[in-house]
Amino acid sequence: CGASGETKGMLFGLQAWTCFWVSEIAEAQRLGLEALGLLRRGSGWWCRITGLVGASMIGITKDTDTQVIAQILIGTRPESSAHDNYLEALAQLLLSFTRSLDRDWSKRLLVKLEQVLSSNGRRDGCGAGLALVAQSMYLRSFDPDPWRQLGLLHEAQGQFTIAEDRRLLVISE
């Protein structure tokens, strides 16, 4: 198509998402990694694709590969316009590490996620909603607190309702 640079990275990113949703995980990882090499670190697209690549690696590649992606994400300062995308990426990885019962990396991601949520003062958008869902899942797996879990999910449902994202609203229920 003649695209290059960041535009080509976005196209690879779209292809990676498509592959991910039709369960072509290896191809999603390959395209996602190509996209990351072309995208500006900390941009909205970079955050989205980093979350996708990291989440798709859990249980498929060596643990260290996924941990490297998580560490890069934790160490990244997102662009101001990418705050919600950054929260979404952190939440995706936190959910993935929590599902794999990796307490250490789940805790690292949880700490970063909570820092980002508290430093911004905002809790709106789908990324913030997913962050609340991820916090709830962490509690469920590692530190059960049913009332706090319920409160986090209720707050997430509010975010998804405002954003009119029915897909995420179903996830939070």
Side-chain angles (χ1 to χ4, degrees):
C1 72
S4 63
E6 196 153 14
T7 303
K8 189 172 185 176
M10 288 183 222
L11 290 171
F12 280 143
L14 285 171
Q15 290 175 318
W17 272 108
T18 302
C19 290
F20 180 79
W21 286 111
V22 296
S23 297
E24 294 176 8
I25 304 303
E27 186 66 2
Q29 287 175 10
R30 185 188 71 73
L31 289 164
L33 288 170
E34 282 194 52
L36 289 176
L38 297 168
L39 296 168
R40 199 172 56 258
R41 186 173 173 173
S43 69
W45 273 97
W46 184 89
C47 291
R48 283 186 187 112
I49 301 306
T50 301
L52 167 80
V53 169
S56 68
M57 287 180 154
I58 294 280
I60 294 175
T61 64
K62 295 182 294 192
D63 288 347
T64 54
D65 293 341
T66 311
Q67 293 165 357
V68 166
I69 294 287
Q71 190 59 51
I72 290 169
L73 183 64
I74 289 169
T76 296
R77 182 180 176 142
E79 296 175 356
S80 60
S81 62
H83 177 79
D84 202 55
N85 304 118
Y86 186 66
L87 281 172
E88 185 173 338
L90 286 170
Q92 285 178 321
L93 282 174
L94 176 54
L95 285 166
S96 297
F97 277 104
T98 298
R99 279 193 296 265
S100 71
L101 299 177
D102 185 326
R103 182 183 293 266
D104 179 50
W105 279 95
S106 294
K107 183 65 174 177
R108 291 179 195 198
L109 287 157
L110 177 69
V111 166
K112 181 63 175 183
L113 188 113
E114 289 175 339
Q115 286 173 350
V116 173
L117 280 171
S118 66
S119 69
N120 188 28
R122 288 179 35 214
R123 279 191 175 221
D124 58 350
C126 290
L130 278 172
L132 296 167
V133 170
Q135 285 177 297
S136 176
M137 292 301 293
Y138 175 89
L139 288 173
R140 180 176 152 212
S141 297
F142 300 118
D143 192 15
D145 182 348
W147 292 113
R148 182 146 187 263
Q149 290 168 242
L150 185 61
L152 290 167
L153 290 174
H154 182 71
E155 189 176 347
Q157 287 173 341
Q159 295 303 323
F160 301 144
T161 300
I162 291 167
E164 297 182 359
D165 192 322
R166 296 184 202 297
R167 172 185 59 96
L168 293 175
L169 188 57
V170 168
I171 290 171
S172 67
E173 293 176 347

